[in-house]
Amino acid sequence: LAFGEHSAIMPEEIIRRCVRLFTFVEDVVLDPFAGSGTTLKVAKELERNFVGYEISKSYEDIIKLKLGPKLFWFMLKINQIYNLDCFDFLSKIDDDSINLAVIDPPYNMSKADWDTFKSHKDFLDFTYKWIDALLPKLKQNGSLYIFNTPFNSAYILQYLVSKNMVFQNWITWDKRDGLGTSKRKYSNGQ
């Protein structure tokens, strides 16, 4: 568990490379599923502005530990993390204002309530809905990285291409403890 509380920790080096490749100092990095705050921490270290939100209020202490205690959950400013539903939050962000979105959304692996959907269709409907809300927020030359399982990524890629997004590359994270000896596609006992 990340910091003893979060089940899905993202390696900082993956985020660091994405942020360095696609932003400059003082650009804005968006993380609509902030989790334990890794993307925000890296953006701050690399002198980028950041906006993040996380629906689970219980992750606030983890994020504060990574970013420092001066966070305000009620003001809509850059360099902050907010405790809001992603759709409510995206509606408050100006269009054409984000340089890079780094997104580690639910994977539909039933790891927790936030990662459990009634069906794969419900998961994809949710995913396509936040993508549709996010895309107008990107600047014309903005970029996004979406982390997910290879299976889900195939659906997400098709959807993004249908929205006229330009696909450039895959980043593969070799997380060997995620497959195990399960007979299913993916093991949720990481």
Side-chain angles (χ1 to χ4, degrees):
L1 295 178
F3 286 84
E5 299 280 339
H6 196 279
S7 62
I9 188 168
M10 178 65 62
E12 289 182 20
E13 189 54 34
I14 291 175
I15 304 303
R16 189 170 285 106
R17 289 179 187 196
C18 294
V19 171
R20 281 188 177 147
L21 279 171
F22 290 97
T23 63
F24 296 101
V25 170
E26 296 187 13
D27 276 357
V28 180
V29 176
L30 172 70
D31 185 352
F33 300 93
S36 67
T38 302
T39 297
L40 310 178
K41 176 183 183 278
V42 170
K44 181 179 177 181
E45 288 172 356
L46 295 176
E47 299 178 33
R48 274 53 168 191
N49 294 305
F50 60 85
V51 178
Y53 47 97
E54 173 56 52
I55 196 167
S56 298
K57 183 80 168 147
S58 62
Y59 296 144
E60 181 178 1
D61 291 337
I62 299 169
I63 295 168
K64 282 183 178 180
L65 182 65
K66 286 186 176 183
L67 295 177
K70 194 172 182 183
L71 293 175
F72 303 95
W73 293 78
F74 54 89
M75 298 178 191
L76 190 58
K77 294 181 181 179
I78 59 172
N79 300 331
Q80 303 296 319
I81 180 76
Y82 297 89
N83 181 234
L84 292 173
D85 174 88
C86 70
F87 302 108
D88 293 338
F89 193 85
L90 281 170
S91 72
K92 298 176 189 304
I93 294 176
D94 292 337
D95 287 354
D96 196 37
S97 64
I98 302 297
N99 300 93
L100 174 66
V102 179
I103 308 135
D104 188 17
Y107 288 30
N108 194 26
M109 293 176 67
S110 301
K111 294 181 74 62
D113 288 343
W114 55 263
D115 190 46
T116 302
F117 296 84
K118 291 180 182 177
S119 68
H120 192 250
K121 181 188 179 313
D122 287 348
F123 165 74
L124 290 175
D125 289 345
F126 167 79
T127 300
Y128 298 159
K129 184 178 175 183
W130 66 253
I131 288 172
D132 287 342
L134 171 73
L135 291 179
K137 309 309 176 184
L138 293 174
K139 289 186 176 183
Q140 186 173 0
N141 63 346
S143 300
L144 66 125
Y145 277 91
I146 301 173
F147 294 88
N148 218 291
T149 66
F151 180 79
N152 291 334
S153 292
Y155 287 93
I156 293 167
L157 173 61
Q158 288 177 337
Y159 190 74
L160 289 170
V161 168
S162 79
K163 296 292 183 179
N164 297 318
M165 296 297 291
V166 177
F167 172 75
Q168 290 192 342
N169 60 44
W170 294 103
I171 295 176
T172 302
W173 171 15
D174 184 8
K175 188 170 191 260
R176 295 175 189 260
D177 65 339
L179 295 176
T181 58
S182 174
K183 303 261 187 244
R184 300 180 348 196
K185 290 179 191 161
Y186 304 99
S187 169
N188 60 4
Q190 296 183 28

